[in-house]
Amino acid sequence: MTLLRPRRPLDLPVEAEILVPERFRGVDRASAMRFPVAWGRRSLPLGELFEIDVEEGGEALILDGDFSRVKKIGRGMKEGLLVVRGDGGMHLGSALSGGTIRVEGDVDAWAGAMMSGGTLEIGGSAGPHLAGAYPGEGRGMTGGVVLLRGDASLRTGERMRRGLVAVGGGTGDFTALEALAGTVVVFGRLGIRAGAGSKRGTVVALGGMEGDVLPTYRRGAPYRPLFLLPLLRFLAERGFPVTEAHRTGMYRRWTGDVTRLGKGELLIHEQPQ
């Protein structure tokens, strides 16, 4: 196990793509301290900014403290376990393809962007573009699981192609913007303009929706989608607040966006009267 703590509060952003478990496997403390990171406009050894402890047993990478100004934590991670005991910075878990990242606090923008596999668990809230696509990219998230306990901001799941995003709180505007496929489940309020430009995929609004559904969606009849049951069971087992009403209640189905392929769907849980 490798444990990092900031030596002092970070007054400038740090870019540290090196912070993935596989880069520390079999590496001693002296070598780890020499890994380069970008601090502002300078390149510094990792050991100048962080205290590093290396212990035998286990291959987890533990980041203990406030890492909210550290960018690209877990970027491109392929395997192993990365734990952040605090907040994480921008691009955390971007291009994740395997392994598990657990963040106890909040994360900044672009967390899980372009990820293709693995699991990203976030105990707090997330900034814009969670599991989204970078500008100019045709696809965002193409696989894996994002489990967010708090609120999400704008453009969650933008242009996602596959995978699951579960949000324990609410989302900002443009959830699943231009989605190609995949599933987003929102336990709080779903923001406005959800599914704009969507081709396929499913957005499940368990806590209702802000404003009206876009006029480019067709209103369907309420029904009980049986395919949701294993998904809700999966989320309940991971601590999400799934209720009996979620399992047995009715959902209004809207299909769209008709300006695109029109095979996406919004499933809005109808609250018991």
Side-chain angles (χ1 to χ4, degrees), residues 3-16 18-19 32-52 64 66-67 69-71:
L3 175 67
L4 274 70
R5 294 188 182 94
R7 291 188 179 275
R8 59 188 180 275
L10 299 170
D11 55 353
L12 291 174
V14 177
E15 290 196 13
I18 198 73
L19 295 181
M33 291 183 70
R34 292 194 295 269
F35 285 156
V37 295
W39 181 62
R41 296 183 178 181
R42 300 170 58 192
S43 178
L44 291 178
L46 187 66
E48 286 198 23
L49 298 176
F50 302 98
E51 298 176 0
I52 304 174
D64 187 20
D66 182 7
F67 282 75
R69 305 206 74 178
V70 182
K71 301 178 181 179

Side-chain angles (χ1 to χ4, degrees), residues 16-24 61 73-77 82:
E17 291 187 55
I18 198 73
L19 295 181
V20 291
E22 50 261 48
R23 293 300 299 270
F24 290 83
L61 175 60
I73 296 169
R75 179 175 174 84
M77 178 173 153
L82 169 59

